[in-house]
Amino acid sequence: MIPVYQRILNSASKSKFLQCFHIKVQFNSHISYYSVKDIYLSKDSIGHKAEVKGWVKAVRKMKDNVFIDLDDGSWPEKLQVVIPKSVVPKNLTYGSSVELSGKLLPNQLKKVELVLDDIKVVGPCVVADGYPFAPRKSYSADYVRQYIHLRPRTRILSSLLRIRHGAALALHQYFNGLGYCKIDVPVLTSNDCEGAGEVFIVKPDSEKLIREMGSPGMTPEEAFFNGKTYLTVSGQLHLEIAARAMGKVYCLGPTFRAENSRSRLHLSEFYMAEAELAFVKDLDSILKLMEGLIKTMCQTLMDTCAEDVHLFVKTQGEENCLNIEHLLKSPFTVDSYDNVFNVIDNHRSLFTEPLKKGDPLSKEHELFLVKHNNNLPIFVVDWPTGIKPFYMKAHTNDSSKVHAVDLLCTNVGELCGGSLREDDFDTLVSKLKTHDLEDNLGWYLELRKFGNVPTGGFGMGFERFLQVILGIPNIKDAIPFPRWPHNCKL
């Protein structure tokens, strides 16, 4: 039987999808605006006139001509432009924005270049005033991160933004091909889904409004919505609602964690892809959905963003990036918590702290297991009940275990987490009492009273996925505008 992700990749929808990326450009005799990507991908651009717009990345002065490298954000390679010295504007510097027109001709390296007819400097760049990125210089990620408002102009970050775009489109295409409905889950919520207390509380900034709207005994955090409201940590509970009407649903959106961590592994705001499906009775269905999603996204990125992906391989080092070809042809490994505990315990001398049976895996344990598995992803299933959230379904014959899964991958450790959801009304009542959640989640119990069905789902950190395939060591460099404690610029 052909896996789901292969059926999607082999379908007619793939060719339609890829048209969004590889545009066949028909060059005409008249001058038209083209992107650098159009010029590079077209086989018939040579000899035609074109107008391009973008930013100057470098300026090289020769005897008779000035050469500039032009970047318009559409392609990782720059377009070389040849400018006769007699027409070079005085305010042309690297960093300037320009509009150019000329003829596309081959250079000595058999690459296409633009021989200039006309140039207009749209926005000069006053380099002396502190423009931070000089041509042909490499900067550390820590340095570049100081200039969040200018960071997209660097080659590596612009490549990341194109890859993020391609990965998001691939994700939507995958779920759409399987009949899933995208649900826009709220950012503001009255629930702490994970129950860990790592939430941001929302309240009005206006003290006058708080006084006007608040009732006696209410705190400022309760005045506006008549109760405490948080920035969401997960869309799962809302997807469980929608799944009981739509069957198969998913979302991709921002989530928030109020963790006091400035490590390379955490963000205060990040993106999560989550899916929920109804009438699911075994965890294997969730595992297949997760594996299909990751393989489809990887394959699509290699089909549509290969140049950008290869830039990361070159920059980060092949040994730090995911071997996508190896991943695509290899099934993901599935193992139980008990078995991986034994593997870790047999190698206890390799770890800074030993793992106690029943405790969560640390990051070093997760990365060790992936390396031990030939750097291929590994599903860890059948987790101890005590270290997993209340909504996970217990094993019928062993209440000490729940039907839960973590997917471990290179570079990040846990990439995805999922489970079957507890669908038994009485069991869920008991769990909510234990966690003191009866008042906030009465509606969650009602889902089990009115036309209930078994459901299951998972969540995947979008930035972590990018870290896995691109070898990005710090999650702050996998998102355009990172937020972490003491840093919320812009």
Side-chain angles (χ1 to χ4, degrees):
M1 183 175 180
I2 300 175
V4 168
Y5 66 88
Q6 287 187 4
R7 294 205 302 273
I8 291 175
L9 290 173
N10 293 335
S11 69
S13 62
K14 177 188 174 185
S15 61
K16 294 180 180 178
F17 181 44
L18 297 188
Q19 288 174 10
C20 299
F21 296 85
H22 293 301
I23 303 171
K24 185 177 181 181
V25 179
Q26 299 293 332
F27 281 85
N28 301 314
S29 57
H30 66 279
I31 295 177
S32 297
Y33 279 108
Y34 295 107
S35 70
V36 173
K37 181 178 180 179
D38 293 337
I39 292 169
Y40 269 98
L41 290 182
S42 175
K43 295 180 180 180
D44 59 355
S45 62
I46 299 296
H48 289 274
K49 290 187 175 182
E51 293 186 359
V52 291
K53 304 176 182 180
W55 294 265
V56 178
K57 293 301 180 180
V59 180
R60 299 181 297 280
K61 297 179 180 180
M62 301 300 178
K63 183 179 179 181
D64 299 317
N65 297 307
V66 170
F67 295 84
I68 68 171
D69 293 333
L70 186 77
D71 179 16
D72 68 350
S74 67
W75 194 248
E77 297 297 324
K78 305 174 193 68
L79 177 66
Q80 181 169 280
V81 181
V82 185
I83 309 175
K85 275 193 173 180
S86 59
V87 299
V88 175
K90 291 182 179 180
N91 59 349
L92 179 67
T93 64
Y94 64 85
S96 303
S97 58
V98 293
E99 293 181 356
L100 310 167
S101 63
K103 194 171 186 179
L104 297 167
L105 296 173
N107 60 19
Q108 293 178 343
L109 299 176
K110 296 183 179 180
K111 289 186 175 182
V112 64
E113 66 182 14
L114 183 75
V115 178
L116 188 86
D117 289 332
D118 188 50
I119 180 172
K120 176 185 176 182
V121 175
V122 178
C125 180
V126 186
V127 175
D129 283 355
Y131 186 66
F133 304 127
R136 295 181 296 280
K137 283 190 177 182
S138 59
Y139 298 95
S140 70
D142 288 338
Y143 173 84
V144 175
R145 220 176 290 129
Q146 297 176 49
Y147 303 96
I148 294 296
H149 59 300
L150 298 174
R151 191 170 71 149
R153 302 189 191 189
T154 63
R155 189 183 185 198
I156 198 73
L157 208 282
S158 61
S159 273
L160 173 81
L161 296 182
R162 286 188 291 270
I163 293 170
R164 277 186 70 103
H165 171 71
L169 285 178
L171 183 145
H172 292 307
Q173 181 76 4
Y174 173 76
F175 281 118
N176 186 64
L178 293 176
Y180 279 70
C181 180
K182 180 180 178 294
I183 303 298
D184 295 319
V185 298
V187 170
L188 298 177
T189 176
S190 60
N191 303 302
D192 174 7
C193 176
E194 299 299 322
E198 299 165 342
V199 292
F200 289 99
I201 292 181
V202 178
K203 70 173 185 177
D205 188 47
S206 168
E207 294 296 331
K208 179 182 177 183
L209 185 62
I210 291 172
R211 289 194 300 271
E212 289 176 350
M213 297 188 67
S215 300
M218 277 191 176
T219 65
E221 292 82 6
E222 297 170 329
F224 196 91
F225 288 110
N226 290 345
K228 288 186 177 180
T229 306
Y230 312 101
L231 295 180
T232 184
V233 298
S234 169
Q236 178 200 316
L237 298 187
H238 297 93
L239 288 183
E240 286 195 48
I241 295 172
R244 284 170 169 80
M246 307 298 292
K248 298 187 290 187
V249 295
Y250 79 101
C251 67
L252 174 64
T255 51
F256 306 85
R257 295 285 194 281
E259 296 176 291
N260 186 20
S261 173
R262 284 178 256 181
S263 76
R264 68 178 189 86
L265 304 171
H266 299 95
L267 289 169
S268 300
E269 178 185 4
F270 56 96
Y271 278 70
M272 271 230 294
E274 300 179 83
E276 195 78 16
L277 60 158
F279 300 98
V280 59
K281 297 180 180 179
D282 60 82
L283 201 59
D284 287 345
S285 301
I286 308 300
L287 271 56
K288 291 176 182 176
L289 188 66
M290 292 162 67
E291 182 172 348
L293 172 64
I294 291 163
K295 287 187 172 180
T296 297
M297 291 175 71
C298 286
Q299 181 65 68
T300 304
L301 287 176
M302 292 309 298
D303 289 341
T304 61
C305 304
E307 295 81 5
D308 287 305
V309 173
H310 289 149
L311 175 62
F312 273 88
V313 173
K314 180 180 178 181
T315 304
Q316 306 295 346
E318 190 172 342
E319 68 281 1
N320 297 316
C321 298
L322 180 68
N323 186 330
I324 293 179
E325 184 179 348
H326 183 42
L327 175 137
L328 290 174
K329 66 183 181 182
S330 305
F332 291 4
T333 302
V334 183
D335 212 341
S336 69
Y337 173 90
D338 287 345
N339 286 344
V340 300
F341 169 81
N342 291 333
V343 172
I344 293 169
D345 196 48
N346 290 335
H347 296 83
R348 66 177 71 91
S349 62
L350 300 177
F351 305 107
T352 55
E353 291 187 14
L355 177 65
K356 295 180 181 178
K357 190 69 173 287
D359 281 357
L361 305 182
S362 69
K363 192 65 62 181
E364 65 173 341
H365 298 142
E366 294 170 345
L367 294 176
F368 167 79
L369 289 171
V370 177
K371 187 175 181 180
H372 192 72
N373 192 45
N374 196 25
N375 285 325
L376 285 170
I378 176 172
F379 289 116
V380 180
V381 300
D382 299 336
W383 286 77
T385 302
I387 58 174
K388 290 297 181 181
F390 72 91
Y391 52 75
M392 295 188 173
K393 186 173 180 62
H395 278 250
T396 305
N397 299 323
D398 185 359
S399 61
S400 68
K401 297 283 196 305
V402 289
H403 291 287
V405 56
D406 282 1
L407 177 61
L408 311 182
C409 293
T410 56
N411 197 22
V412 302
E414 182 190 348
L415 173 61
C416 303
S419 74
L420 299 182
R421 316 309 189 190
E422 183 56 69
D423 60 325
D424 182 80
F425 182 87
D426 293 332
T427 302
L428 193 55
V429 168
S430 177
K431 286 187 173 185
L432 292 181
K433 284 183 178 179
T434 301
H435 292 85
D436 196 24
L437 293 171
E438 289 176 285
D439 292 339
N440 285 343
L441 292 177
W443 62 267
Y444 194 65
L445 280 173
E446 286 194 354
L447 295 178
R448 275 68 179 172
K449 289 172 65 176
F450 307 128
N452 188 37
V453 294
T455 67
F458 72 93
M460 179 187 76
F462 193 62
E463 285 75 28
R464 287 193 176 188
F465 169 77
L466 297 172
Q467 283 187 276
V468 169
I469 63 169
L470 302 176
I472 300 173
N474 195 316
I475 196 170
K476 300 177 186 68
D477 302 317
I479 192 170
F481 305 105
R483 278 84 172 88
W484 68 95
H486 308 294
N487 283 274
C488 188
K489 296 179 181 178
L490 308 183

